[in-house]
Amino acid sequence: MSHLERIRYHFTDDPQAGGAPPGPESLRGAEALEGTEGRRDFNSAESAARFYLAEKLAREETPALRGAVREDRPERVPDLALSTERHQAGTGTTLVRFEQTRHEIPVFGAEVLVEIDDDQRLVSMDGRLGEVTGVGTVPELSGTDALERVKAATGSTVDAEELPPPTLAYISRDDDWHLTWHLREVPAQLPENRPEGGRHGHGLGASPREDFPLTGYFVDAFSGEILKSYGMAPTITVPTRLEGEDELSVRHRFQGSRQNGSFLLHDQWRQIATYDMDFADIDTARPPAAAIDSAQADFGAGHRAGVSAHVNAERVEKFYRDQLHRNGIDDADMDLVSVVNCTYHEDGPGPEWVNAVWWQRRMWFGQVADGDRLVSLAIHFDIDAHEITHGVIETSSDLVYQDQSGALNESLADTMGVCIANWYEAPDRDDVRTWNWEIGKGLGPRGLPLRDMSDPTRTGDPDHMRDYLRTSQDNGGVHTNSNIHNKAMFHLLTSVTPAGEPVLRVEEWALMIYLALVRLLRESDFEDMHQALRDVTSTYLSGNTSLRTAAQAAIDEAYQKVGIA
């Protein structure tokens, strides 16, 4: 049982808002604001968000919510620490994310996101908060002791110096609050959570992300019991135009750079670089120091794997930047690095490695034999886009890779992967009837795809909540249960009006899905995504009542068809 209480607000659902985002005078009244910090001119989005939170929480009936407004402190909601603040060009709003603390110790899963428009008025808020009681602040066990408990339970020999320092955190479990040590990025799983012999959740070969899954642990700081674990998901140069052939022998022109007479797969404009591991083991060998190079601006057919990865990374980055208004994969201009010709010892001696994975904030590509040559997995654009989207999720909502939040993580990566691939490759990007809804064509058993969003049952996966799989394998069945939400996304993207016209254009649906994705909380589930889509659609279409109504009806119907309220 969770002790966290939910708070939600959207101005379009507020009958007192009059169809427009309310300002501080709407909550306090103009006279009450005179001479106070609550005037309309806030000095930052954070101060506006704190004002609206304090006003809303003070009126809540549940102690967990009302208690966040401390009467003994002059600051507004002092136990909510600012986490991130990001402007969303798609809606013209700013998302301010807070994390709840108690005595400066984080409360895991307790966070609030407040959306403010450019006039510093309240658009929406969504969060979970808890009233931590019955537990102290001083641990009896050390962080080192906690790691030893995890090592004993997992059989791991990891060195503490290889991990981020343990930190204290509160979590709720079994009707009680617990002070815990939070261990992150531990490369070991509990025995009951490990994949069964030879089986991998994503349907491809062995992966370092699964064999060393960077698991997070919460260890009781008094008893040493492991209370919870969860998966944590993956010289002067001159810009110049290059060209070359990909794995399908298709010629492309793409951006790179020139350095000391060589041409590099390093696009400094978009901060995209592609490296070649030359079939070294990604677990034991270091990536090369320089990007793939050529003596000529035409790479020809000599670097097909690198060209495939580089071109696809450029496409994905361009879609996120141009269509979704995201400033790079992490929304802060991080480099998008791809590494081709990789092997991984846990999957065999090589040179084949049937995988492509986002891991350690970069893309790693294996390869498969095709006749007399090896073909890089970078050939699968939808998988490239899927995996890079894990980087987007990791640096925004950071959905916990476990159970339903983990399945949602996988589904959103599938959804964006399919949208991006079809944006560039469908016969008619604007007509979803021409789209390919498969993920990983030909990579599943018997030549099937890994997943099919239009018909998950084709690959033996569920397409309705009645068939939700409850298991300790694959982080709670994240790759299986994701298909339920995939089917809902298929219904949404193919929704039409009674006249047979699309409810929204595909790029608008993609934007709505993205805007909902970045506003999710770490442990959000399918229902939370449903509500987040309704909220961002309300904001995006606030000036068009009939279209907003039609879009929200399409959202509701898409989720209802798969048994999600």
Side-chain angles (χ1 to χ4, degrees):
M1 175 183 174
S2 173
H3 288 69
L4 302 181
E5 299 286 348
R6 196 63 182 262
I7 178 172
R8 274 196 172 120
Y9 173 84
H10 197 283
F11 78 88
T12 58
D13 298 324
D14 182 357
Q16 297 181 344
E25 71 283 355
S26 300
L27 300 181
R28 283 262 194 105
E31 293 182 1
L33 289 173
E34 194 67 36
T36 74
E37 65 162 319
R39 289 190 303 269
R40 180 171 302 185
D41 295 328
F42 298 104
N43 58 19
S44 67
E46 178 189 354
S47 64
R50 287 187 180 277
F51 171 83
Y52 292 121
L53 269 172
E55 292 300 313
K56 289 291 185 184
L57 291 172
R59 303 172 187 182
E60 293 289 336
E61 296 182 359
T62 57
L65 297 179
R66 193 174 61 251
V69 183
R70 298 268 302 278
E71 295 181 358
D72 61 329
R73 297 274 294 276
E75 304 98 322
R76 294 198 174 277
V77 284
D79 290 336
L80 296 181
L82 179 66
S83 177
T84 60
E85 180 180 315
R86 286 178 175 166
H87 184 72
Q88 300 296 115
T91 55
T93 59
T94 297
L95 301 181
V96 186
R97 189 181 294 264
F98 297 95
E99 180 183 60
Q100 187 181 7
T101 64
R102 178 176 181 263
H103 300 299
E104 300 184 353
I105 298 173
V107 182
F108 185 76
E111 53 186 330
V112 182
L113 184 142
V114 183
E115 184 178 15
I116 307 296
D117 70 8
D118 287 340
D119 292 325
Q120 297 183 319
R121 293 178 173 271
L122 175 63
V123 175
S124 70
M125 61 177 62
D126 184 14
R128 292 186 176 96
L129 297 172
E131 184 185 25
V132 180
T133 58
V135 61
T137 61
V138 181
E140 292 185 359
L141 299 179
S142 68
T144 301
D145 294 332
L147 177 58
E148 291 302 318
R149 301 298 175 97
V150 171
K151 289 167 65 175
T154 61
S156 170
T157 58
V158 63
D159 192 321
E161 295 182 356
E162 301 173 5
L163 305 176
T167 56
L168 290 171
Y170 290 107
I171 70 168
S172 64
R173 178 184 168 187
D174 299 332
D175 298 328
D176 290 310
W177 282 100
H178 298 262
L179 179 66
T180 67
W181 284 107
H182 186 188
L183 307 178
R184 298 177 299 282
E185 300 183 21
V186 181
Q189 284 180 307
L190 295 171
E192 61 267 25
N193 294 336
R194 295 169 187 162
E196 298 174 353
R199 295 187 62 190
H200 303 281
H202 46 56
L204 298 175
S207 162
R209 194 169 70 195
E210 290 188 340
D211 292 337
F212 302 96
L214 300 184
T215 303
Y217 290 92
F218 292 93
V219 181
D220 192 291
F222 298 96
S223 69
E225 179 186 359
I226 297 175
L227 299 176
K228 180 182 178 71
S229 69
Y230 65 94
M232 304 182 69
T235 298
I236 297 178
T237 58
V238 179
T240 188
R241 201 69 174 163
L242 308 175
E243 58 184 290
E245 292 186 14
D246 68 9
E247 289 285 23
L248 296 173
S249 299
V250 176
R251 291 191 66 79
H252 295 273
R253 298 191 68 192
F254 46 88
Q255 193 69 31
S257 58
R258 185 175 71 248
Q259 178 183 356
N260 299 330
S262 293
F263 297 88
L264 305 175
L265 293 185
H266 187 181
D267 177 356
Q268 293 194 327
W269 286 352
R270 293 191 176 92
Q271 297 178 268
I272 298 170
T274 306
Y275 297 78
D276 190 338
M277 283 292 284
D278 196 22
F279 307 109
D281 190 324
I282 67 175
D283 185 38
T284 58
R286 291 186 176 183
I292 296 171
D293 69 324
S294 169
Q296 305 294 329
D298 186 347
F299 278 60
H303 297 279
R304 291 178 171 178
V307 169
S308 295
H310 197 77
V311 168
N312 288 342
E314 188 177 83
R315 288 170 163 180
V316 174
E317 195 278 342
K318 180 176 174 60
F319 185 89
Y320 270 106
R321 191 177 296 272
D322 294 353
Q323 302 301 321
L324 305 181
H325 315 293
R326 188 174 180 85
N327 188 21
I329 299 308
D330 67 343
D331 210 17
D333 270 331
M334 74 176 284
D335 291 349
L336 177 50
V337 175
S338 300
V339 189
V340 299
N341 294 326
C342 304
T343 60
Y344 178 52
H345 62 88
E346 293 294 336
D347 199 45
E352 287 189 277
W353 179 44
V354 190
N355 217 329
V357 61
W358 177 268
W359 183 56
Q360 295 183 343
R361 295 173 69 87
R362 63 183 63 183
M363 279 299 306
W364 308 82
F365 292 101
Q367 48 285 322
V368 296
D370 182 13
D372 60 352
R373 75 182 186 94
L374 292 169
V375 176
S376 175
L377 268 292
I379 194 175
H380 294 278
F381 183 30
D382 57 336
I383 290 180
D384 298 7
H386 166 108
E387 290 294 334
I388 293 173
T389 297
H390 278 308
V392 172
I393 296 169
E394 177 182 280
T395 54
S396 55
S397 55
D398 195 21
L399 286 165
V400 171
Y401 203 67
Q402 186 73 35
D403 301 323
Q404 203 169 126
S405 60
L408 182 58
N409 190 322
E410 278 296 323
S411 175
L412 291 172
D414 275 351
T415 302
M416 297 310 300
V418 165
C419 285
I420 295 170
N422 281 287
W423 183 256
Y424 291 99
E425 297 181 341
D428 182 353
R429 68 168 59 154
D430 297 320
D431 186 353
V432 292
R433 293 172 298 181
T434 72
W435 279 26
N436 176 13
W437 297 95
E438 296 178 339
I439 298 98
K441 182 178 181 180
L443 293 176
R446 305 181 306 282
L448 292 172
L450 296 175
R451 291 176 291 283
D452 186 339
M453 291 184 66
S454 66
D455 181 13
T457 63
R458 180 181 169 210
T459 54
D461 293 306
D463 64 356
H464 195 279
M465 284 300 292
R466 60 174 168 263
D467 298 316
Y468 185 93
L469 176 65
R470 302 191 181 280
T471 176
S472 62
Q473 298 293 305
D474 187 28
N475 295 104
V478 296
H479 289 92
T480 299
N481 294 320
S482 63
N483 288 274
I484 299 171
H485 193 267
N486 277 1
K487 185 69 174 188
M489 292 294 93
F490 170 78
H491 289 313
L492 183 65
L493 289 163
T494 58
S495 59
V496 295
T497 66
E501 296 296 323
V503 176
L504 291 181
R505 299 191 306 272
V506 291
E507 63 266 33
E508 290 181 304
W509 278 133
L511 179 60
M512 295 304 99
I513 293 167
Y514 165 73
L515 292 174
L517 180 163
V518 299
R519 68 185 295 117
L520 295 172
L521 309 180
R522 294 196 67 198
E523 293 190 293
S524 291
D525 56 21
F526 296 163
E527 291 185 13
D528 294 328
M529 181 63 186
H530 177 194
Q531 184 62 47
L533 273 169
R534 288 184 57 87
D535 288 347
V536 298
T537 304
S538 292
T539 303
Y540 185 74
L541 300 174
S542 60
N544 189 329
T545 303
S546 61
L547 186 55
R548 182 179 74 237
T549 300
Q552 291 192 331
I555 293 169
D556 292 343
E557 183 178 7
Y559 280 89
Q560 289 164 2
K561 283 182 175 179
V562 299
I564 300 172

